[in-house]
Amino acid sequence: MSAASPFHAPSSLPRYHALLPCAGTGSRAGAPLPKQYQPIAGRPLVQHTLAALRGVTTLDRIVVVLAPDDAHWPGDVDGVLALRRGGATRAETVFNGLQALREAGVPDADWVLVHDAARCLVTPEEVTALIEACASDPVGGLLALPLPDTLKDEVDGRVARTIERRHKWLAQTPQMFRLGELLDALLMARATGFEGITDEASAIERTGRRPRLVEGRASNIKVTYPHDFALAEAILRSRT
């Protein structure tokens, strides 16, 4: 993969593209920099994410969608195509990135793996497992984790009821769908301002399709809050 090379010409076999929405401000992280650029284990968070994806030999291209005014992206990053087409929401950023892929000639039948830039603990093995599980699936799917804890419903800061946790999963990323189907699903949701679209699977679900759940690992957390950074750093350093 080369950031300077054009997209590959269409082939008879679908290819795999990673798409990272990277236009958020990370306000919940409570830091002066957007969280994707906060240093963890000596490198910006997003660089750990990209390193994991570069370890997936099946991927044809890694695309990062930045905010138009992003001043922190380092410039040319080996194996990564950066697009300054980020939107006001994550869903809009993903939609813009998918449109860019289509405009560049990527076939609708190709697979796109949308991954949170802040999930820097994903491993190449997890991504490969998702690809292998969904490559022949008619819908696509996502990494997810069976809910391990007791789940409570809350009203006014108090427990209202205990929710049955059987058949409940925590959605993770990557989430892998065909370019054309995901773009069409998000186009439908765009009419209502992407209301209720919290991930790519939720957009696909609205079309009546049922994405496959592929069991991931508990370590594939989305770094969101200040204490998550210390946990992520500890895990990254334990892997070296």
Side-chain angles (χ1 to χ4, degrees):
M1 294 179 295
S2 170
S5 64
F7 285 95
H8 291 97
S11 86
S12 57
L13 294 176
R15 298 181 183 273
Y16 303 91
H17 310 268
L19 178 68
L20 271 72
C22 195
T25 61
S27 57
R28 287 179 292 179
L33 285 175
K35 66 181 175 182
Q36 59 268 32
Y37 297 118
Q38 287 293 314
I40 295 183
R43 304 170 67 187
L45 184 155
V46 69
Q47 295 296 344
H48 294 287
T49 310
L50 293 171
L53 293 176
R54 280 195 292 263
V56 182
T57 58
T58 318
L59 290 175
D60 187 66
R61 173 67 63 136
I62 301 172
V63 178
V64 174
V65 188
L66 307 170
D69 59 350
D70 188 310
H72 306 290
W73 182 254
D76 289 340
V77 177
D78 184 46
V80 178
L81 175 67
L83 302 175
R84 294 183 176 273
R85 295 182 60 164
T89 65
R90 181 187 185 282
E92 185 178 0
T93 296
V94 171
F95 177 79
N96 292 347
L98 294 172
Q99 277 197 315
L101 287 175
R102 178 182 275 176
E103 291 164 5
V106 175
D108 279 358
D110 275 10
W111 292 101
V112 179
L113 286 80
V114 182
H115 184 62
D116 295 324
R119 290 188 187 269
C120 61
L121 299 176
V122 74
T123 64
E125 293 76 19
E126 289 171 89
V127 180
T128 299
L130 176 67
I131 291 172
E132 292 176 348
C134 295
S136 59
D137 193 273
V139 180
L142 63 151
L143 287 181
L145 196 68
L147 187 68
D149 300 314
T150 300
L151 191 63
K152 302 292 186 182
D153 197 11
E154 172 265 339
V155 175
D156 296 329
R158 293 184 177 275
V159 173
R161 66 187 177 107
T162 297
I163 299 173
E164 173 58 60
R165 71 183 178 193
R166 286 186 303 167
H167 309 302
K168 303 293 191 303
W169 291 64
L170 298 171
Q172 300 178 334
T173 67
Q175 301 194 2
M176 172 178 159
F177 301 103
R178 295 191 184 275
L179 170 63
E181 291 189 3
L182 182 54
L183 188 53
D184 289 348
L186 287 172
L187 182 60
M188 291 173 57
R190 191 185 188 200
T192 58
F194 300 109
E195 183 178 356
I197 301 301
T198 56
D199 63 0
E200 292 65 52
S202 61
I204 294 293
E205 291 160 37
R206 282 195 183 180
T207 70
R209 308 274 269 170
R210 298 176 60 193
R212 176 181 294 276
L213 292 163
V214 179
E215 187 167 349
R217 299 176 183 171
S219 57
N220 185 20
I221 65 169
K222 184 177 182 181
V223 176
T224 303
Y225 300 103
H227 61 267
D228 293 336
F229 287 88
L231 176 60
E233 176 146 356
I235 293 173
L236 285 168
R237 291 195 182 280
S238 73
R239 293 175 177 175
T240 58

